[in-house]
């Protein structure tokens, strides 16, 4: 087992993990199999999986991050926590589950403002294709509302993101909701979270036969 004190560490994950967990405990009571997109350090998964023991928690990320995620999983092993699958949003399908079962929820934290808009579009498309009716896409992060920043700290964060990568930046919640609708994902509960973040819960709605 790796010395947990030496693991690559995200202070933001440490700060927000309890607040996110409370929402997941509420929203995922009836769910069984989650795919996490952009697992990052793996800290969230190592905390959420043991606290959501009814779920199978599948991590994923681009390959460069796998060694960090695995290090966290080695330090905090849990039987319902799965080693990262390689998943880059530039591809055309979600990674297949190692359990052979379908995911009924997709969770991602702090990714939409990092990736280009075309990859945000791909995330919604792929999640909608993979999720069953009533499956949930759960998104945590900062959002703008009505075209405005929700705080001065989000504004300076957005400017720093765009300076580093012009295709990144905090997304408008309204654009996300329109994109979701295009993929038959409808906005359900919304949660205001600490540090000017939010959680948006999208649910896959049943399509009428004529639409298929
Ligand atoms: C700011 S980190 C967030 C990590 C973690 N979810 C958290 O909340 O701390 C953004 C994540 O998006 C992932 N990412 C960036 N580009 C990606 C892509 N093209 N496909 C999939 N994941 C990507 C990064 O590897 C990283 O894990």
């Amino acid at each position: 087992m790796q010395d947990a004190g030496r693991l690559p560490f995200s202070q933001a994950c440490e700060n927000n993990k309890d607040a996110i967990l409370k929402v997941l405990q509420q929203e995922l009571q009836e769910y069984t199999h989650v795919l996490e997109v952009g697992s990052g350090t793996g800290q969230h998964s190592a905390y959420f999986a043991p606290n959501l023991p009814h779920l199978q928690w599948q991590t994923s990320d681009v390959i460069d991050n796998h060694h960090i995620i695995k290090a966290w999983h080695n330090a905090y092993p849990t039987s319902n926590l799965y080693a990262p699958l390689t998943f880059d949003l530039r591809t055309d399908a979600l990674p297949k589950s190692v359990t052979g079962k379908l995911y009924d929820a997709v969770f991602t934290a702090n990714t939409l403002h990092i990736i280009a808009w075309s990859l945000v579009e791909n995330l919604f498309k792929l999640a909608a294709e993979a999720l069953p009716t009533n499956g949930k896409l759960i998104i945590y992060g900062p959002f703008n509302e009505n075209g405005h920043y929700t705080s001065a700290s989000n504004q300076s964060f957005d400017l720093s993101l765009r300076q580093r990568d012009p295709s990144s930046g905090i997304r408008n919640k309204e654009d996300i909701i329109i994109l979701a609708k295009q993929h038959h994902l409808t906005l359900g509960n919304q949660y205001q979270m600490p540090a000017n973040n939010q959680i948006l819960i999208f649910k896959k709605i049943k399509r009428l036969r004529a639409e298929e």
Side-chain angles (χ1 to χ4, degrees):
M1 189 182 283
Q2 178 152 354
D3 175 2
R6 292 173 188 273
L7 293 171
F9 181 79
S10 157
Q11 187 59 48
C13 280
E14 196 55 28
N15 296 346
N16 61 32
K17 65 182 188 182
D18 280 311
I20 299 176
L21 176 65
K22 279 201 183 84
V23 173
L24 296 180
Q25 283 170 329
Q26 193 170 315
E27 290 289 339
L28 293 176
Q29 279 176 38
E30 314 285 321
Y31 290 73
T32 59
H33 204 160
V34 178
L35 173 69
E36 181 183 16
V37 173
S39 298
T41 58
Q43 259 170 278
H44 273 156
S45 61
Y47 187 66
F48 296 155
N51 284 295
L52 295 161
H54 67 291
L55 291 177
Q56 307 298 304
W57 192 278
Q58 175 65 65
T59 54
S60 76
D61 211 318
V62 295
I63 190 108
D64 291 355
N65 275 5
H66 285 205
H67 65 289
I68 304 175
I69 300 168
K70 285 178 184 166
W72 272 87
H73 291 187
N74 285 339
Y76 298 97
T78 311
S79 59
N80 62 330
L81 178 58
Y82 291 82
L85 296 174
T86 301
F87 179 54
D88 189 316
L89 278 157
R90 283 170 284 211
T91 52
D92 58 4
L94 292 185
K96 282 210 166 35
S97 161
V98 292
T99 65
K101 294 196 185 132
L102 295 178
Y103 308 114
D104 53 10
V106 174
F107 169 78
T108 192
N110 290 316
T111 49
L112 268 54
H113 56 272
I114 299 293
I115 57 179
W117 179 252
S118 60
L119 300 189
V120 177
E121 290 178 320
N122 208 28
L123 170 66
F124 277 78
K125 175 178 172 284
L126 299 184
E129 281 171 1
L131 288 171
T133 299
N134 294 325
K136 286 182 175 175
L137 171 59
I138 301 181
I139 306 212
Y140 170 89
F143 294 96
N144 296 332
E145 290 191 344
N146 303 313
H148 297 291
Y149 297 111
T150 61
S151 68
S153 60
N154 277 2
Q155 179 171 17
S156 52
F157 180 47
D158 183 59
L159 294 177
S160 69
L161 286 168
R162 289 175 193 276
Q163 268 170 7
R164 208 182 47 195
D165 175 1
S167 73
S168 67
I170 297 181
R171 308 300 172 191
N172 290 323
K173 188 153 87 177
E174 296 76 16
D175 295 340
I176 296 292
I177 295 170
I178 291 168
L179 172 63
K181 271 194 189 142
Q182 288 165 356
H183 295 287
H184 302 274
L185 292 162
T186 186
L187 181 63
N189 291 330
Q190 307 176 49
Y191 298 85
Q192 292 298 329
M193 303 298 285
N196 305 299
N197 288 294
Q198 300 184 38
I199 290 182
L200 307 180
I201 310 284
F202 294 96
K203 205 175 201 186
K204 172 110 170 261
I205 51 172
K206 199 175 172 66
R207 293 171 69 170
L208 300 172
R209 243 174 206 289
E211 292 177 317
E212 287 169 352

